[in-house]
Amino acid sequence: ENGLVFAADRPFGGGWQQPERISGPAGGAAYAQIEIDSSGNAIAVWERTYDYLTQIEATARPAGGTWQAPRVVATLGHDPYAFPGLAVDPQGSAIAYWRDWVNSSYRVHAATRNPAGTWSSPVDLSGPKAEQPALDFDSEGNAVMVWNRRVSTDNQFIQAIARPAGGAWGNPVTLS
């Protein structure tokens, strides 16, 4: 259906289950991402644009359970191209990240979800002129995010930021 997010499960050794809608009843959802931790718990994020507003929304499904009601992780302006991403560590923590149009420039934002299911407030990690974020965890739950900083067509470089497991984000560093 138009602008809705569906998921279908396939138990180990079994067949695919019927798809079920995991986004809310209103349309406008796009760019869905899903990750599963080492225990089989699933988390999904997407952006939803409606009434001149874009939101990052998320839901989760415990292993063997049912999908929870979606919730708003962040409210953005009306840029319908946040392109959210998601990474989950082996312990069940997750980081949702996206780009947001702020003061005539893209910035990279992120929110963290602990294994109990609580999302943090979004944080601006990059400053202005940041695009194309990517993030991953190591086996201990330490996270690293990189992005492209485009100052001009001829002047761009890669930046990175790290977050120790359960800790706070550090400061961005320039890699190239």
Side-chain angles (χ1 to χ4, degrees):
E1 292 183 40
N2 188 16
L4 299 173
V5 179
F6 287 79
D9 295 334
R10 187 182 71 82
F12 181 75
W16 285 100
Q17 307 296 313
Q18 287 295 320
E20 70 176 289
R21 185 182 40 144
I22 61 174
S23 61
Y31 309 110
Q33 303 289 315
I34 189 167
E35 291 285 333
I36 300 172
D37 70 17
S38 60
S39 298
N41 302 305
I43 301 170
V45 299
W46 58 88
E47 70 179 68
R48 187 165 79 88
T49 302
Y50 67 100
D51 292 338
Y52 303 102
L53 186 69
T54 298
Q55 294 179 321
I56 303 300
E57 297 181 347
T59 186
R61 189 214 65 207
T66 60
W67 288 98
Q68 300 167 352
R71 64 159 297 185
V72 175
V73 174
T75 300
L76 319 177
H78 182 64
D79 180 17
Y81 303 106
F83 301 119
L86 179 67
V88 176
D89 74 9
Q91 295 76 31
S93 294
I95 298 175
Y97 56 96
W98 59 92
R99 68 179 198 175
D100 191 7
W101 186 256
V102 178
N103 297 327
S104 301
S105 174
Y106 283 113
R107 294 173 178 253
V108 175
H109 287 80
T112 304
R113 181 185 186 272
N114 65 28
T118 303
W119 285 95
S120 71
S121 296
V123 293
D124 178 348
L125 297 177
S126 69
K129 302 185 186 234
E131 299 180 358
Q132 301 167 320
L135 180 138
D136 207 354
F137 284 101
D138 68 12
S139 62
E140 304 298 315
N142 302 300
V144 175
M145 178 184 287
V146 296
W147 60 82
N148 179 34
R149 184 133 209 195
R150 183 184 299 264
V151 179
S152 68
T153 304
D154 297 330
N155 186 8
Q156 54 186 319
F157 44 92
I158 304 298
Q159 289 190 306
I161 193 168
R163 189 201 75 150
W169 291 101
N171 293 316
V173 295
T174 300
L175 302 177
S176 66

